[in-house]
Amino acid sequence: MRLLTEFAWYIHHSDSSQKFYLEAINLSRKLNDHKYLPQNLNRYGVTFRNLDLQENALELYEEALNISIATGNKIEEGYAYNNLAQIINYQGLQEEALSYYTKAEAIFTHINYPVGLGYTYNGFSTVFREMGQYDKAIDAINKSMAVSNGNKDTREYLTAILKRGDLYGELKMYEEALADYQLYLTKVKDLYPRGELNIYGRMALLYYNEGEVDKALQYADKALALHEKHPSLEVILPIYQGLSKYYASIGNYKSAYQYNLEYSQSKELLFEERINQYLTNHKIRSQDAEIKALELDRQLQADKNILKKYVNSGLILLLILATTLTMTYYRSYKNEKNNLALLDAQKKEIQKQAEELDKLNSVKDKLFSILAHDLRGPLNALRGMIELLEEDTLSPEEFRDVIPLVSQNVGNNSILLENLLIWSRSQMQGMQTLPEIVKIKQVLSDNFEFIDPLSRKKDIIIDNHIREDVLVKADKGMVDIVMRNLLTNSIKFTPAGGNIIVDAEDEGDSWKIIISDSGVGIAAENLSKIFSNKFFTTTGTHKEKGSGLGLILSKELIEKNNGKIWLHSIEGEGTTFYFTFPKA
């Protein structure tokens, strides 16, 4: 029991913690344990609160409170009041939240428990801040820090420092805010990357508001560097936005555009993460409702079984009506059995439809993600630059300086959009092949006109060893799309100065086409993901972005033309794609 409890707390911030909390709670119930049960209920509730599943969290906190009161567990009773106050504050009921925090304060004061008091006073500060009572909020923070008894490395003490700095910042008491931020930084630097990134972002914005631009840029650079190792979209968004505005104000429109583009893309990613979180929470709520419905069905079935036993007992006692009642019961049993069989078949059909719906929803979600992020991002950045031009913030000459960069971002969407439309048709089973004799060398020559600017930009040499007699029987348009996707993929993952070789081998009834590059290769653990429906993708050698759609589409088009595709890759040495088409 103790090991389960400690292990669940050790991995509290991971997705796996819920499983172990639930095991600990179930074991506590079996052992009729009152020491660890309320503690695990409180902590299990926190995991649901972090997922914004407040109803689930409230149920667990209320159960923890009732058990703690009944068993005299004062520490967990105090934490339960704290947790309930936090949820109530989220719902906008500040006065009621204060009453719960007051109960927690009284308990922790009575049992002389400073750790709980520090947590409680931080909670008071949050509520007072929501109410606009900043003096009381700062006073509560100071109380939280005072009860540390000299231990200035506890989580609650560090949280109090950060909160007080934020309060000073909102009151425009920048010197006091900076002192708290510097103190917090000395405690978390090189130990807690997320806390370090948060404080760099706060200090950059604080110095910028004070007019000390050089220091603001210095901390913004530190935030950007740490964000590369430990990403945090919520922290980095205001940094990107502030840098874009600053560089626009000094006439460096190229940098302003780049940071505006990063801001737009990061904002879209954060929106997508929140949508996914909402969908996950919605699924959890739906599953909870289904579980409760199943439990109700089981109870009804149990009650029905009990009723059957009474009926059978009555049949034994009523011998005179035995034959009639037996026949009636038999017919009822047959009808019920048929109904259960029909219900079972309906459930299987519904389950099958639900699986199909989940699959379609997954496809829809990916399409929306591509449309929202890969297509909208560059267009939003272009719109931002046009707005600067309309407001006379950006002159026509300056706009022309950044046109190549804008053109590159917008132009890269053309092949993505074509892949997206063709793949969508394929998913809706509306695409038919029109086989004809196709000369592979001619298809490659046509595609070289499209990819030549991409290869020249990275000084990549493409050697075409395909002979004139390599003829296949396939849909020419589909062959063209496959060639373009695989060639652009090789260029994307080949560093500057590399080379790509295209060749063909006679396989008897088919031609095997080979596209081999001297690129970065693929890690062994990622090989199985390349042609899966998970839309796996990574960033190219020049930070080219992708959706993972091109390779999935290529596989589908090749298989529609009675071919197959596979690859061989060694990380750091390059990748070779092999695919076949029937001979003409």
Side-chain angles (χ1 to χ4, degrees):
M1 184 68 259
R2 179 175 58 82
L3 287 173
L4 266 177
T5 299
E6 291 180 358
F7 183 72
W9 179 244
Y10 181 74
I11 61 169
H12 178 73
H13 294 288
S14 75
D15 294 336
S16 304
S17 65
Q18 283 198 346
K19 170 186 174 183
F20 292 97
Y21 278 131
L22 191 56
E23 285 188 25
I25 289 168
N26 289 335
L27 184 55
S28 292
R29 297 191 197 282
K30 289 181 181 179
L31 298 175
N32 196 27
D33 165 78
H34 300 304
K35 177 181 178 181
Y36 293 108
L37 178 57
Q39 182 183 66
N40 285 311
L41 287 169
N42 270 322
R43 292 174 176 177
Y44 192 33
V46 173
T47 66
F48 282 105
R49 184 197 68 200
N50 292 339
L51 291 172
D52 199 29
L53 294 169
Q54 297 182 17
E55 299 88 349
N56 305 69
L58 272 174
E59 290 180 5
L60 292 164
Y61 294 156
E62 288 172 353
E63 185 178 359
L65 177 62
N66 292 333
I67 294 174
S68 298
I69 293 174
T71 59
N73 190 332
K74 289 297 182 182
I75 291 178
E76 293 307 320
E77 180 183 351
Y79 278 126
Y81 280 127
N82 270 329
N83 291 334
L84 288 167
Q86 194 172 49
I87 296 292
I88 292 169
N89 184 48
Y90 287 161
Q91 295 172 345
L93 303 173
Q94 278 74 40
E95 294 294 340
E96 188 174 349
L98 287 176
S99 70
Y100 277 88
Y101 277 127
T102 301
K103 292 179 180 179
E105 180 188 19
I107 291 172
F108 290 136
T109 301
H110 179 71
I111 64 175
N112 190 25
Y113 192 68
V115 175
L117 272 175
Y119 186 86
T120 303
Y121 287 134
N122 274 337
F124 270 119
S125 176
T126 300
V127 178
F128 286 133
R129 183 181 181 181
E130 290 285 335
M131 299 171 71
Q133 299 180 20
Y134 287 91
D135 290 341
K136 290 185 178 181
I138 293 175
D139 181 62
I141 288 291
N142 291 334
K143 287 182 178 180
S144 175
M145 298 170 71
V147 299
S148 66
N149 292 329
N151 187 355
K152 298 183 178 181
D153 292 320
T154 64
R155 177 184 174 188
E156 290 309 315
Y157 188 87
L158 295 177
T159 301
I161 294 172
L162 192 61
K163 281 190 172 183
R164 191 172 67 180
D166 291 342
L167 287 167
Y168 283 141
E170 290 181 26
L171 293 170
K172 301 190 185 307
M173 300 170 65
Y174 296 128
E175 185 175 346
E176 291 82 355
L178 182 60
D180 278 343
Y181 289 161
Q182 290 283 10
L183 177 59
Y184 183 86
L185 180 59
T186 62
K187 300 291 185 181
V188 302
K189 186 171 176 58
D190 300 327
L191 295 174
Y192 179 34
R194 185 174 178 85
E196 189 177 348
L197 176 58
N198 265 298
I199 209 66
Y200 285 149
R202 282 173 162 87
M203 293 178 76
L205 294 175
L206 185 65
Y207 277 122
Y208 190 82
N209 290 334
E210 284 190 289
E212 295 187 43
V213 176
D214 291 339
K215 289 185 177 180
L217 292 176
Q218 177 185 347
Y219 281 101
D221 288 340
K222 289 183 178 182
L224 292 173
L226 195 57
H227 173 68
E228 290 292 324
K229 298 179 181 178
H230 306 280
S232 177
L233 293 175
E234 291 182 346
V235 175
I236 211 67
L237 272 175
I239 300 295
Y240 284 146
Q241 190 177 37
L243 288 171
S244 177
K245 290 180 179 178
Y246 167 72
Y247 282 114
S249 69
I250 64 173
N252 187 344
Y253 298 106
K254 186 174 182 179
S255 295
Y257 170 77
Q258 285 285 11
Y259 283 117
N260 186 53
L261 180 60
E262 291 287 348
Y263 172 76
S264 299
Q265 292 176 342
S266 298
K267 189 176 181 181
E268 293 290 344
L269 279 174
L270 183 60
F271 174 76
E272 182 179 338
E273 287 179 2
R274 288 176 175 171
I275 287 296
N276 288 337
Q277 183 66 63
Y278 171 80
L279 293 174
T280 300
N281 293 347
H282 179 72
K283 185 175 182 180
I284 291 173
R285 292 189 182 98
S286 299
Q287 289 175 342
D288 286 345
E290 290 174 2
I291 290 171
K292 290 179 180 178
L294 286 173
E295 289 176 350
L296 180 60
D297 286 341
R298 291 192 190 101
Q299 185 60 45
L300 291 173
Q301 188 63 41
D303 293 341
K304 193 172 184 180
N305 289 337
I306 293 173
L307 179 60
K308 284 183 179 180
K309 290 180 181 179
Y310 285 122
V311 171
N312 290 335
S313 298
L315 288 173
I316 295 173
L317 297 173
L318 301 175
L319 295 176
I320 299 175
L321 301 175
T323 304
T324 305
L325 291 177
T326 300
M327 292 300 296
T328 302
Y329 178 78
Y330 178 76
R331 286 194 298 268
S332 175
Y333 172 77
K334 289 291 291 183
N335 290 335
E336 182 180 347
K337 186 175 181 180
N338 292 335
N339 290 336
L340 287 174
L342 179 61
L343 180 60
D344 185 64
Q346 290 174 344
K347 285 183 177 179
K348 290 180 180 178
E349 181 63 24
I350 292 171
Q351 184 178 1
K352 181 180 178 181
Q353 292 173 356
E355 290 172 354
E356 289 294 326
L357 183 58
D358 284 343
K359 181 179 178 182
L360 291 174
N361 278 335
S362 176
V363 172
K364 177 207 68 176
D365 290 343
K366 184 58 187 177
L367 292 176
F368 278 56
S369 172
I370 293 170
L371 290 171
H373 180 252
D374 296 283
L375 295 180
R376 284 179 57 192
L379 296 179
N380 285 339
L382 175 60
R383 183 179 63 186
M385 299 304 295
I386 292 174
E387 288 175 354
L388 289 175
L389 181 64
E390 290 176 342
E391 295 168 0
D392 294 329
T393 305
L394 187 67
S395 68
E397 292 75 20
E398 292 166 338
F399 183 71
R400 280 194 293 272
D401 289 340
V402 297
I403 281 178
L405 185 60
V406 176
S407 176
Q408 178 185 345
N409 279 284
V410 176
N412 286 340
N413 285 337
S414 62
I415 189 168
L416 172 62
L417 185 58
E418 182 180 14
N419 284 339
L420 185 61
L421 294 174
I422 294 171
W423 184 71
S424 299
R425 286 176 54 201
S426 173
Q427 294 301 303
M428 292 185 290
Q429 301 178 348
M431 185 168 59
Q432 301 295 326
T433 58
L434 298 173
E436 59 180 298
I437 297 174
V438 180
K439 183 184 288 187
I440 296 296
K441 187 170 185 177
Q442 183 61 47
V443 173
L444 282 170
S445 298
D446 294 340
N447 274 285
F448 283 163
E449 296 179 5
F450 175 81
I451 65 173
D452 184 61
L454 302 177
S455 60
R456 282 192 292 105
K457 183 177 180 181
K458 297 177 73 172
D459 295 324
I460 294 173
I461 298 174
I462 302 177
D463 293 325
N464 181 9
H465 295 168
I466 301 293
R467 303 192 308 273
E468 292 287 340
D469 62 343
V470 179
L471 304 176
V472 301
K473 187 69 174 294
D475 187 303
K476 184 177 181 181
M478 295 183 183
V479 175
D480 182 70
I481 292 168
V482 170
M483 288 293 185
R484 184 157 62 253
N485 276 319
L486 295 180
L487 286 171
T488 53
N489 186 77
S490 291
I491 292 172
K492 175 180 175 183
F493 294 103
T494 299
N499 65 288
I500 299 171
I501 299 174
V502 186
D503 205 348
E505 292 181 2
D506 191 334
E507 292 286 311
D509 294 334
S510 63
W511 282 104
K512 179 171 71 177
I513 314 300
I514 306 166
I515 299 179
S516 180
D517 65 59
S518 61
V520 297
I522 303 168
E525 64 268 23
N526 292 330
L527 288 173
S528 62
K529 304 175 185 177
I530 298 302
F531 294 117
S532 71
N533 286 326
K534 303 297 183 182
F535 296 87
F536 176 76
T537 184
T538 57
T539 304
T541 58
H542 280 194
K543 295 187 177 181
E544 302 99 323
K545 298 182 182 299
S547 64
L549 181 59
L551 293 179
I552 297 175
L553 178 60
S554 297
K555 180 177 183 293
E556 291 187 10
L557 296 182
I558 290 170
E559 290 176 351
K560 280 183 177 290
N561 286 275
N562 300 315
K564 58 182 180 179
I565 183 170
W566 67 100
L567 65 93
H568 174 74
S569 183
I570 299 176
E571 190 173 12
E573 296 184 16
T575 301
T576 301
F577 282 90
Y578 306 91
F579 58 98
T580 63
F581 285 119
K583 278 186 176 180

